[in-house]
Amino acid sequence: METKKMAIIATKGTLDWAYPPFILASTAAALGYEVQMFFTFYGLQLLKKDLSGLKVSPLGNPGMPMKMPFGPRWFKGINWNIPNALQSLVPGYENLATSLMKQTIANNGVASIPELRELCVEADVKMIGCQMTVELFGFDQREFMDGIEYGGAATFFEFAGETDICLFI
Amino acid sequence: METKKMAIIATKGTLDWAYPPFILASTAAALGYEVQMFFTFYGLQLLKKDLSGLKVSPLGNPGMPMKMPFGPRWFKGINWNIPNALQSLVPGYENLATSLMKQTIANNGVASIPELRELCVEADVKMIGCQMTVELFGFDQREFMDGIEYGGAATFFEFAGETDICLFI
Amino acid sequence: METKKMAIIATKGTLDWAYPPFILASTAAALGYEVQMFFTFYGLQLLKKDLSGLKVSPLGNPGMPMKMPFGPRWFKGINWNIPNALQSLVPGYENLATSLMKQTIANNGVASIPELRELCVEADVKMIGCQMTVELFGFDQREFMDGIEYGGAATFFEFAGETDICLFI
């Protein structure tokens, strides 16, 4: 049987949207897929050596349930439906949401973004940074992980055109 | 001729972004496609029995035209270009936008989200809730539709790897 | 060798999210792909004759680095990490971000959205406007580019079901 192939274009640079590309890539690799990820646009943030700057942005996302990840069961069950209007006025709300999300994820035994990314590296997922975005946003390649490649959309199409699954995330 | 297959990963939990997955899934099913939808992340909201909590989040989306869905033609033609700054300060703006969108959609004879979802169920679209997200966000399975399955990304890949179209929405 | 095919569903109507569909479509066309783009939802904005209304919406996107695209190197290197709370309170912030992005892009020799779209037209990328969205949002077809087609999801599936790459953007 031929090896299945998956390509992911990772374009988002927030903590919450960092999960889907790394979870899908590491799962596919574990299932024997050959996987390539192309990081472009805001998604370049996910290649940074230091990922601690990633934040959840609950603004504009009323579908995000905000629950407290600690305390007794009844307390954890409350769905804090904080409206956008308030979110934008409370200083530090974004930081609060970010640390709540990190705690919830750790409490549930789900891997962190650096751990998921490391899983991808160990499973030989090929990671490509978009050269044009690096230049456009004025990034310094020394900010990024070692061992990645840089290329443009044309480079990526060589692989993407042969895939079984190609996702824009 | 072999049956075409489509897989959708539904990850958004707002009213506006609930339309694309259900419209694409029901259309494909009507055209004879075998369709599976994997609801994960904020997208789990779309599996709730009660969908009345879905809201539009115009914040962060300057591309959304806000027009009044009632009144005379000239009045409906005005494009209320409400800036984000104002949106976040006016209490209840999100609720206003949500009810405007629902009215506009009803006035144009477009099906509502519960109706579109029902069309998908009737057309045998297979719906899978992401087990990890259910646990992570502390959802109770009794909140969700009956008759759906639960599984992880690995379950989903079994079908996705064989599809003609696979979309991350 | 058979001609490769790519389909793009363009659903976002902001300046920043206008780049990925047009960059991917024009690159694929240049590589010999047959390309179709289906503009639906907020994405219909990208078909307007006058694209000057497109804006960046940095709200809800903490992954967007805001750097000054002019001045000395050390000055350009500063990453203005403006919190969402502030963004929504400063009148005109959205316009500032938009014009900063346009300048940065021009300074780096990257094509503008109208230029990228023109590249797609010249490369025979087929553009389809979603008829249902046009009616739903009350658009007037005279606002849109000449030479495009209008159709529904069913029209689009005829091509999408035969593609090598199909992306929802």
Side-chain angles (χ1 to χ4, degrees):
Chain A
M1 208 176 87
E2 236 181 303
T3 302
K4 292 269 177 193
K5 292 176 186 172
M6 182 171 75
I8 287 177
I9 308 177
T11 66
K12 309 288 188 305
T14 62
L15 178 64
D16 40 357
W17 293 108
Y19 280 92
F22 288 125
I23 288 178
L24 290 168
S26 55
T27 306
L31 294 169
Y33 278 63
E34 181 185 348
V35 184
Q36 285 198 13
M37 302 178 82
F38 185 66
F39 296 84
T40 183
F41 235 54
Y42 307 135
L44 264 188
Q45 302 278 356
L46 308 185
L47 285 180
K48 287 205 169 165
K49 276 180 190 143
D50 176 7
L51 290 168
S52 63
L54 295 182
K55 286 187 185 177
V56 177
S57 181
L59 262 171
N61 199 338
M64 183 181 180
M66 292 301 300
K67 297 188 174 189
M68 293 298 155
F70 44 76
R73 178 174 279 272
W74 65 266
F75 183 72
K76 287 199 283 188
I78 298 173
N79 196 338
W80 303 86
N81 221 334
I82 306 171
N84 274 327
L86 197 63
Q87 288 178 24
S88 72
L89 290 176
V90 180
Y93 178 81
E94 204 167 280
N95 289 331
L96 174 67
T98 300
S99 88
L100 278 178
M101 184 165 186
K102 284 185 177 174
Q103 265 188 275
T104 305
I105 281 167
N107 287 0
N108 280 274
V110 175
S112 67
I113 293 299
E115 287 163 349
L116 286 168
R117 191 173 70 174
E118 187 54 32
L119 278 178
C120 290
V121 171
E122 284 165 15
D124 289 324
V125 169
K126 186 169 168 183
M127 303 194 184
I128 305 170
C130 174
Q131 183 61 39
M132 189 193 76
T133 313
V134 171
E135 288 163 21
L136 185 61
F137 284 176
F139 281 122
D140 183 335
Q141 286 197 7
R142 283 167 299 183
E143 300 173 62
F144 297 118
M145 302 168 62
D146 299 321
I148 55 175
E149 287 185 26
Y150 294 91
T155 310
F156 187 64
F157 274 112
E158 283 171 33
F159 179 75
E162 307 295 332
T163 54
D164 299 279
I165 302 176
C166 183
L167 304 173
F168 183 95
I169 302 187
Chain B
M1 207 176 88
E2 238 182 300
T3 303
K4 292 270 177 193
K5 293 176 185 170
M6 181 172 74
I8 287 177
I9 308 177
T11 66
K12 308 289 187 305
T14 62
L15 179 64
D16 39 357
W17 294 107
Y19 280 92
F22 288 126
I23 287 178
L24 290 169
S26 56
T27 306
L31 294 170
Y33 277 64
E34 181 184 346
V35 183
Q36 285 198 12
M37 302 177 82
F38 185 66
F39 296 85
T40 184
F41 234 53
Y42 306 135
L44 264 188
Q45 303 278 357
L46 308 185
L47 286 179
K48 285 205 170 166
K49 276 180 189 144
D50 176 7
L51 290 168
S52 64
L54 294 182
K55 286 186 186 176
V56 178
S57 181
L59 262 171
N61 200 339
M64 182 179 180
M66 292 301 302
K67 298 188 174 189
M68 292 298 154
F70 44 75
R73 177 174 279 271
W74 63 267
F75 183 73
K76 288 199 283 188
I78 299 172
N79 196 338
W80 303 86
N81 222 334
I82 306 171
N84 273 330
L86 196 63
Q87 288 178 24
S88 74
L89 291 177
V90 179
Y93 178 81
E94 203 166 283
N95 289 331
L96 173 67
T98 300
S99 89
L100 279 178
M101 184 166 185
K102 285 185 177 175
Q103 265 188 276
T104 304
I105 281 166
N107 287 0
N108 279 275
V110 175
S112 68
I113 292 299
E115 287 164 351
L116 285 169
R117 190 173 70 173
E118 188 55 31
L119 277 178
C120 290
V121 170
E122 284 166 13
D124 290 325
V125 170
K126 186 168 168 184
M127 303 194 184
I128 305 170
C130 174
Q131 183 60 39
M132 189 193 76
T133 314
V134 171
E135 288 163 23
L136 186 60
F137 285 175
F139 281 122
D140 183 335
Q141 288 197 4
R142 283 168 299 183
E143 299 173 63
F144 296 118
M145 302 168 62
D146 299 321
I148 55 175
E149 287 185 27
Y150 295 91
T155 310
F156 187 64
F157 275 111
E158 283 171 34
F159 179 75
E162 307 296 332
T163 53
D164 300 277
I165 302 177
C166 183
L167 303 173
F168 183 95
I169 302 187
Chain C
M1 208 176 88
E2 236 181 303
T3 303
K4 292 271 177 192
K5 292 175 186 171
M6 182 173 74
I8 286 178
I9 308 177
T11 66
K12 309 289 189 303
T14 61
L15 178 64
D16 39 358
W17 293 108
Y19 280 92
F22 288 126
I23 287 177
L24 290 169
S26 56
T27 306
L31 294 169
Y33 278 63
E34 181 185 346
V35 183
Q36 285 199 13
M37 303 177 82
F38 184 66
F39 296 84
T40 183
F41 235 52
Y42 307 135
L44 264 188
Q45 303 278 357
L46 308 185
L47 286 180
K48 287 205 169 165
K49 276 180 190 144
D50 176 8
L51 290 168
S52 63
L54 294 182
K55 286 185 185 176
V56 178
S57 181
L59 261 171
N61 200 339
M64 183 180 179
M66 292 302 298
K67 298 187 175 189
M68 294 299 154
F70 43 75
R73 177 174 278 272
W74 65 266
F75 183 72
K76 288 200 283 188
I78 298 173
N79 196 338
W80 304 86
N81 221 334
I82 306 172
N84 273 327
L86 197 63
Q87 289 178 22
S88 73
L89 291 177
V90 178
Y93 179 81
E94 203 166 282
N95 289 331
L96 174 67
T98 301
S99 89
L100 279 178
M101 184 165 186
K102 285 185 177 173
Q103 265 189 275
T104 305
I105 281 166
N107 288 359
N108 280 274
V110 175
S112 68
I113 292 299
E115 286 163 351
L116 285 169
R117 191 174 69 174
E118 188 55 31
L119 277 179
C120 291
V121 170
E122 284 165 13
D124 290 324
V125 170
K126 186 168 168 185
M127 304 194 184
I128 305 170
C130 174
Q131 183 60 39
M132 189 193 76
T133 313
V134 171
E135 288 163 23
L136 187 59
F137 285 175
F139 282 121
D140 183 335
Q141 287 196 5
R142 284 168 299 183
E143 299 172 63
F144 297 117
M145 301 168 64
D146 299 321
I148 55 175
E149 287 185 27
Y150 294 91
T155 309
F156 186 65
F157 274 113
E158 282 171 35
F159 180 75
E162 306 296 331
T163 53
D164 300 279
I165 302 177
C166 183
L167 303 173
F168 183 95
I169 303 187

